[in-house]
Amino acid sequence: KAKNRLTAQAYIDGVLSGNRVILSRAITVIESNLESDKLLAKDIIQAILPASGNSVRIGVTGVPGVGKSTFIEVFGKHIINQGHKVAILSIDPSSQRSKGSILGDKTRMEALSTLESAYIRPSASGDTLGGVANKTAESMLLCEAAGYDVVLIETVGVGQSETAVHGMTDFFLLLMLAGAGDELQGIKKGIMEMADMVVINKADGDNIKKSELARLQYQNALHIFPQSESGWMPVVTTASSTKNIGVDAVWDEITKYTELVVKNGYFNKNRNHQKIRWMYNNINEALKHLFYGSKDIASKLTALEKQIIASEISPVKAAQDIIETFKKSFE
Ligand code: GDP
């Protein structure tokens, strides 16, 4: 395998020239857990960084079955017809254990995947959401450097993954169904609050009336939230991905959004904030790893737990003591 490896410069040149084969191989390096690949990945990212960032980053979420891949297929084609190049990545927390459930299936988005201007990459796997999020975000930078000016990051509407997607995108799109209760759809208030746009999908046939009703309900619900710092008022629309109705309107809204936030400065402010947060998230993860990964700390913690239960030491004092022990290990 190592024999097949390209030089860092070959990856960099390939990505910057928009070579899809090299882009895929570079993403494989990003996703690799081999120490030698991690070093290579660092060099590649460092070199392409100045060429990244020139895209509209769109997060797409919604429960399995809501129609994400059907929507993205039609939406992607629409954007490409407007002259854009679109990359589609995903964060799939379930792929940490089993084979990915989203984007893993090769039959998904078949028509889109044959287009020269579309790049579809199945979800990375990893031990932690933080690790998977890192890989997806760095893959996004590579796609941008390769000339993709729209990046879609898909995730399922459960767990923490949508917070991760929200933290790396400019616009957050939530797909929903009419008639299914919020709880049924696994939609927590926090997710609604992140949404810049809610699309009630499958608004066709017998579903049209129900969907319009749901649209009004969600529109009202969203107006209760305090206005976002972006200055954008979230919109709720209906669409049918299979009949290609209302899908182009989603792009119109995203275009309006980006015009607004570029003009009022929020676009850059948010991007800067996200980059800084990305660093701190990694520091926090690494610190936790360093602390809990230490054998000394682990055995002392076991002893402290017993003392706490026996009321021999207060939880606060125990925490202070263990941090002192940790600090001493660096002296
Ligand atoms: P995902 O799991 O969110 O990616 O959902 P899929 O895109 O795989 O769609 C799940 C099912 O819903 C498929 O059978 C689709 O054909 C169907 N579907 C998707 N969008 C629509 C729509 O707008 N209208 C109708 N009637 N069915 C849809």
mmCIF file of all heavy atoms in Angstrom, residues 62-71 102 108 154 201-204 239-243, ligand 1:
data_model
loop_
_atom_site.group_PDB
_atom_site.id
_atom_site.type_symbol
_atom_site.label_atom_id
_atom_site.label_comp_id
_atom_site.label_asym_id
_atom_site.label_seq_id
_atom_site.Cartn_x
_atom_site.Cartn_y
_atom_site.Cartn_z
ATOM 1 N N GLY A 62 -32.378 15.496 8.846
ATOM 2 C CA GLY A 62 -33.744 14.972 8.855
ATOM 3 C C GLY A 62 -33.680 13.479 9.097
ATOM 4 O O GLY A 62 -32.679 12.835 8.762
ATOM 5 N N VAL A 63 -34.735 12.931 9.683
ATOM 6 C CA VAL A 63 -34.715 11.506 10.048
ATOM 7 C C VAL A 63 -34.597 10.612 8.807
ATOM 8 O O VAL A 63 -34.962 11.030 7.706
ATOM 9 C CB VAL A 63 -35.988 11.099 10.830
ATOM 10 C CG1 VAL A 63 -35.960 11.688 12.227
ATOM 11 C CG2 VAL A 63 -37.245 11.496 10.090
ATOM 12 N N PRO A 64 -34.085 9.395 9.002
ATOM 13 C CA PRO A 64 -34.042 8.454 7.873
ATOM 14 C C PRO A 64 -35.441 8.286 7.268
ATOM 15 O O PRO A 64 -36.416 8.190 7.999
ATOM 16 C CB PRO A 64 -33.574 7.145 8.518
ATOM 17 C CG PRO A 64 -32.838 7.553 9.758
ATOM 18 C CD PRO A 64 -33.517 8.811 10.233
ATOM 19 N N GLY A 65 -35.513 8.337 5.960
ATOM 20 C CA GLY A 65 -36.799 8.166 5.284
ATOM 21 C C GLY A 65 -37.489 9.472 4.946
ATOM 22 O O GLY A 65 -38.483 9.489 4.207
ATOM 23 N N VAL A 66 -36.994 10.586 5.452
ATOM 24 C CA VAL A 66 -37.631 11.879 5.178
ATOM 25 C C VAL A 66 -37.434 12.282 3.713
ATOM 26 O O VAL A 66 -38.189 13.080 3.164
ATOM 27 C CB VAL A 66 -37.102 12.983 6.137
ATOM 28 C CG1 VAL A 66 -35.671 13.375 5.801
ATOM 29 C CG2 VAL A 66 -38.003 14.199 6.123
ATOM 30 N N GLY A 67 -36.393 11.700 3.102
ATOM 31 C CA GLY A 67 -36.149 11.964 1.693
ATOM 32 C C GLY A 67 -34.881 12.753 1.427
ATOM 33 O O GLY A 67 -34.768 13.426 0.394
ATOM 34 N N LYS A 68 -33.900 12.651 2.306
ATOM 35 C CA LYS A 68 -32.667 13.431 2.143
ATOM 36 C C LYS A 68 -31.957 13.123 0.831
ATOM 37 O O LYS A 68 -31.585 14.021 0.100
ATOM 38 C CB LYS A 68 -31.704 13.180 3.319
ATOM 39 C CG LYS A 68 -32.149 13.813 4.629
ATOM 40 C CD LYS A 68 -31.145 13.589 5.744
ATOM 41 C CE LYS A 68 -30.981 12.109 6.080
ATOM 42 N NZ LYS A 68 -32.219 11.440 6.502
ATOM 43 N N SER A 69 -31.765 11.839 0.557
ATOM 44 C CA SER A 69 -30.998 11.536 -0.659
ATOM 45 C C SER A 69 -31.797 11.868 -1.914
ATOM 46 O O SER A 69 -31.232 12.336 -2.905
ATOM 47 C CB SER A 69 -30.504 10.094 -0.675
ATOM 48 O OG SER A 69 -31.549 9.202 -0.465
ATOM 49 N N THR A 70 -33.116 11.676 -1.860
ATOM 50 C CA THR A 70 -33.959 12.037 -3.007
ATOM 51 C C THR A 70 -33.889 13.549 -3.230
ATOM 52 O O THR A 70 -33.730 14.025 -4.357
ATOM 53 C CB THR A 70 -35.422 11.616 -2.749
ATOM 54 O OG1 THR A 70 -35.432 10.272 -2.280
ATOM 55 C CG2 THR A 70 -36.263 11.732 -4.010
ATOM 56 N N PHE A 71 -33.983 14.290 -2.141
ATOM 57 C CA PHE A 71 -33.904 15.752 -2.216
ATOM 58 C C PHE A 71 -32.547 16.199 -2.753
ATOM 59 O O PHE A 71 -32.467 17.036 -3.666
ATOM 60 C CB PHE A 71 -34.158 16.372 -0.831
ATOM 61 C CG PHE A 71 -33.884 17.842 -0.783
ATOM 62 C CD1 PHE A 71 -34.839 18.750 -1.207
ATOM 63 C CD2 PHE A 71 -32.649 18.321 -0.352
ATOM 64 C CE1 PHE A 71 -34.582 20.121 -1.184
ATOM 65 C CE2 PHE A 71 -32.384 19.677 -0.329
ATOM 66 C CZ PHE A 71 -33.342 20.573 -0.748
ATOM 67 N N ILE A 102 -26.080 6.095 5.995
ATOM 68 C CA ILE A 102 -26.363 7.116 5.004
ATOM 69 C C ILE A 102 -25.162 7.249 4.071
ATOM 70 O O ILE A 102 -24.031 7.136 4.498
ATOM 71 C CB ILE A 102 -26.740 8.489 5.618
ATOM 72 C CG1 ILE A 102 -25.632 9.069 6.486
ATOM 73 C CG2 ILE A 102 -28.021 8.394 6.415
ATOM 74 C CD1 ILE A 102 -25.930 10.463 6.971
ATOM 75 N N ARG A 108 -27.630 5.105 -3.820
ATOM 76 C CA ARG A 108 -28.168 6.414 -3.518
ATOM 77 C C ARG A 108 -27.572 7.472 -4.441
ATOM 78 O O ARG A 108 -26.403 7.463 -4.732
ATOM 79 C CB ARG A 108 -27.896 6.780 -2.054
ATOM 80 C CG ARG A 108 -28.668 5.924 -1.075
ATOM 81 C CD ARG A 108 -28.410 6.351 0.341
ATOM 82 N NE ARG A 108 -29.307 7.431 0.725
ATOM 83 C CZ ARG A 108 -28.933 8.452 1.465
ATOM 84 N NH1 ARG A 108 -27.704 8.543 1.851
ATOM 85 N NH2 ARG A 108 -29.797 9.371 1.792
ATOM 86 N N GLU A 154 -24.491 16.129 4.859
ATOM 87 C CA GLU A 154 -25.729 15.466 5.257
ATOM 88 C C GLU A 154 -25.529 14.746 6.596
ATOM 89 O O GLU A 154 -24.462 14.202 6.865
ATOM 90 C CB GLU A 154 -26.084 14.432 4.179
ATOM 91 C CG GLU A 154 -27.349 13.662 4.445
ATOM 92 C CD GLU A 154 -27.508 12.440 3.540
ATOM 93 O OE1 GLU A 154 -26.550 12.089 2.831
ATOM 94 O OE2 GLU A 154 -28.581 11.831 3.572
ATOM 95 N N ASN A 201 -41.070 17.943 3.361
ATOM 96 C CA ASN A 201 -40.917 17.157 2.129
ATOM 97 C C ASN A 201 -42.129 16.228 1.926
ATOM 98 O O ASN A 201 -42.934 16.059 2.831
ATOM 99 C CB ASN A 201 -39.610 16.354 2.207
ATOM 100 C CG ASN A 201 -39.220 15.749 0.877
ATOM 101 O OD1 ASN A 201 -39.432 16.354 -0.180
ATOM 102 N ND2 ASN A 201 -38.649 14.556 0.906
ATOM 103 N N LYS A 202 -42.196 15.642 0.773
ATOM 104 C CA LYS A 202 -43.285 14.726 0.385
ATOM 105 C C LYS A 202 -44.630 15.440 0.341
ATOM 106 O O LYS A 202 -45.672 14.843 0.645
ATOM 107 C CB LYS A 202 -43.347 13.499 1.312
ATOM 108 C CG LYS A 202 -42.013 12.744 1.404
ATOM 109 C CD LYS A 202 -42.155 11.353 1.992
ATOM 110 C CE LYS A 202 -40.772 10.736 2.203
ATOM 111 N NZ LYS A 202 -40.808 9.366 2.709
ATOM 112 N N ALA A 203 -44.591 16.746 -0.009
ATOM 113 C CA ALA A 203 -45.830 17.494 -0.168
ATOM 114 C C ALA A 203 -46.385 17.202 -1.557
ATOM 115 O O ALA A 203 -46.282 18.002 -2.485
ATOM 116 C CB ALA A 203 -45.584 18.986 0.029
ATOM 117 N N ASP A 204 -46.916 16.005 -1.703
ATOM 118 C CA ASP A 204 -47.518 15.610 -2.982
ATOM 119 C C ASP A 204 -48.697 14.680 -2.702
ATOM 120 O O ASP A 204 -48.855 14.171 -1.602
ATOM 121 C CB ASP A 204 -46.471 14.954 -3.901
ATOM 122 C CG ASP A 204 -45.571 13.962 -3.171
ATOM 123 O OD1 ASP A 204 -46.105 13.085 -2.456
ATOM 124 O OD2 ASP A 204 -44.329 14.054 -3.294
ATOM 125 N N ALA A 239 -42.185 20.957 -0.158
ATOM 126 C CA ALA A 239 -41.547 20.507 -1.396
ATOM 127 C C ALA A 239 -41.902 19.048 -1.668
ATOM 128 O O ALA A 239 -42.279 18.304 -0.750
ATOM 129 C CB ALA A 239 -40.028 20.648 -1.299
ATOM 130 N N SER A 240 -41.802 18.691 -2.907
ATOM 131 C CA SER A 240 -41.859 17.284 -3.274
ATOM 132 C C SER A 240 -40.580 16.960 -4.031
ATOM 133 O O SER A 240 -40.360 17.471 -5.132
ATOM 134 C CB SER A 240 -43.074 16.988 -4.151
ATOM 135 O OG SER A 240 -42.953 15.677 -4.671
ATOM 136 N N SER A 241 -39.732 16.172 -3.417
ATOM 137 C CA SER A 241 -38.459 15.851 -4.062
ATOM 138 C C SER A 241 -38.674 14.919 -5.238
ATOM 139 O O SER A 241 -37.985 15.021 -6.257
ATOM 140 C CB SER A 241 -37.511 15.204 -3.046
ATOM 141 O OG SER A 241 -37.285 16.078 -1.978
ATOM 142 N N THR A 242 -39.648 14.013 -5.127
ATOM 143 C CA THR A 242 -39.874 13.058 -6.225
ATOM 144 C C THR A 242 -40.512 13.762 -7.427
ATOM 145 O O THR A 242 -40.230 13.418 -8.564
ATOM 146 C CB THR A 242 -40.765 11.884 -5.768
ATOM 147 O OG1 THR A 242 -41.864 12.385 -5.021
ATOM 148 C CG2 THR A 242 -39.990 10.904 -4.913
ATOM 149 N N LYS A 243 -41.365 14.769 -7.175
ATOM 150 C CA LYS A 243 -42.017 15.486 -8.283
ATOM 151 C C LYS A 243 -41.242 16.754 -8.670
ATOM 152 O O LYS A 243 -41.663 17.481 -9.579
ATOM 153 C CB LYS A 243 -43.456 15.853 -7.894
ATOM 154 C CG LYS A 243 -44.380 14.638 -7.771
ATOM 155 C CD LYS A 243 -45.824 15.084 -7.793
ATOM 156 C CE LYS A 243 -46.835 14.020 -8.148
ATOM 157 N NZ LYS A 243 -46.497 12.630 -7.967
HETATM 158 P P1 GDP B 1 -33.440 9.451 3.402
HETATM 159 O O1 GDP B 1 -33.346 8.241 4.261
HETATM 160 O O2 GDP B 1 -33.786 10.655 4.202
HETATM 161 O O3 GDP B 1 -32.232 9.673 2.544
HETATM 162 O O4 GDP B 1 -34.709 9.232 2.420
HETATM 163 P P2 GDP B 1 -34.763 8.744 0.903
HETATM 164 O O5 GDP B 1 -34.360 9.845 0.001
HETATM 165 O O6 GDP B 1 -34.048 7.463 0.773
HETATM 166 O O7 GDP B 1 -36.338 8.553 0.736
HETATM 167 C C1 GDP B 1 -37.081 7.609 1.466
HETATM 168 C C2 GDP B 1 -38.312 7.222 0.673
HETATM 169 O O8 GDP B 1 -39.181 8.336 0.534
HETATM 170 C C3 GDP B 1 -37.994 6.725 -0.728
HETATM 171 O O9 GDP B 1 -38.830 5.648 -1.025
HETATM 172 C C4 GDP B 1 -38.314 7.932 -1.593
HETATM 173 O O10 GDP B 1 -38.715 7.557 -2.893
HETATM 174 C C5 GDP B 1 -39.460 8.570 -0.840
HETATM 175 N N1 GDP B 1 -39.526 10.016 -1.075
HETATM 176 C C6 GDP B 1 -38.503 10.892 -0.996
HETATM 177 N N2 GDP B 1 -38.931 12.139 -1.276
HETATM 178 C C7 GDP B 1 -40.245 12.046 -1.552
HETATM 179 C C8 GDP B 1 -41.261 12.999 -1.935
HETATM 180 O O11 GDP B 1 -41.035 14.206 -2.068
HETATM 181 N N3 GDP B 1 -42.532 12.517 -2.116
HETATM 182 C C9 GDP B 1 -42.833 11.207 -1.957
HETATM 183 N N4 GDP B 1 -44.102 10.838 -2.160
HETATM 184 N N5 GDP B 1 -41.914 10.291 -1.621
HETATM 185 C C10 GDP B 1 -40.629 10.691 -1.418
#
